[in-house]
Amino acid sequence: MLEISNICAGYGNKLSIKNISLHFNKGNVYAILGPNGSGKSTLLKTIDKIIKPKEGVVYINKEDVQNLSRKKLAKNIAYLPQKNSTSASSTVFETILLGRKPYIIFEPRQEDLKLVENIIYIFGLKYFSFRNVGELSGGELQKVLIARALAQQPKILLLDEPINHLDPKNQIEILKVLKKITSELGIITIIVLHDLNLAFKFADYFIFMKQGKIYAKGDLSSIEDKIIKEVYDIRVKILNVGRSKLLVIDE
Ligand SMILES: Nc1ncnc2c1ncn2[C@@H]1O[C@H](COP(=O)(O)OP(=O)(O)OP(=O)(O)O)[C@@H](O)[C@H]1O
Ligand SMILES: [Mg+2]
């Protein structure tokens, strides 16, 4: 479904990601992990054709993304950037409805409005529906933007640090919703996270980046102290807790 083959990409003459090859399967949540500046955002931007790779190809259903129009791409990929902007004078409802843009020809159909209503309900945003997004708190806005990405009904969901501004309850709720939707709809969710414990709890696969390269990848069973220590240069212990793992600081 999504295949990245030997990608090198960056800005100007500088390569920020090097020789990256990855294969993503439907129904799974992939956590992209790694220190600041390791190339996580650059990888997501390359998948969404915002950056053109200097080498290598990103394939969606065996088609090179470079050959897909922006509109066709938007029916496949929803991308929530790390730094995002919205029109402050739009309401929550209008903002989420914008996710339907790739599908709307003249005006939204009944089914577009229904879908937005449903997503608003899932995200607990009912009481915010007609508030202007400019008047929301950072966390509330972040929830609206994740809801907008889902309204796009993507086959691939790219989220760059989407839960940074959320409180613990909302972080857990959003990750739960994302995990459920990913497996129920059989989509691919790729999410950049810095909270390793939340990643261990909710992601199916883990991709560790360091200095623009893939340092390690695998499922939960492959995670060990050594990887975390070498990727982040910190002293930690990984404990097995029930079916998950827990990182504790050992400095
Ligand atoms: N627009 C840009 N122009 C030039 N260099 C950039 C640009 N964006 C990122 N870089 C550089 O590319 C490298 C990778 O950056 P990237 O944003 O992909 O890192 P990241 O892993 O997402 O980091 P963070 O965790 O801080 O968000 C860094 O060295 C960064 O300085
Ligand atoms: Mg980033």
Side-chain angles (χ1 to χ4, degrees), residues 103-110 112:
Y103 303 91
I104 293 171
I105 298 170
F106 294 112
E107 55 182 32
R109 297 156 302 174
Q110 202 56 37
D112 296 310

Side-chain angles (χ1 to χ4, degrees), residues 11 14 16 34-43 45 82 160-161 194:
Y11 311 87
K14 184 175 164 264
S16 295
N36 296 132
S38 56
K40 304 178 299 298
S41 297
T42 306
L43 176 63
K45 285 186 234 171
Q82 188 171 354
D160 199 343
E161 301 193 31
H194 280 301

Side-chain angles (χ1 to χ4, degrees), residues 61 123 194 212:
N61 289 331
F123 278 78
H194 280 301

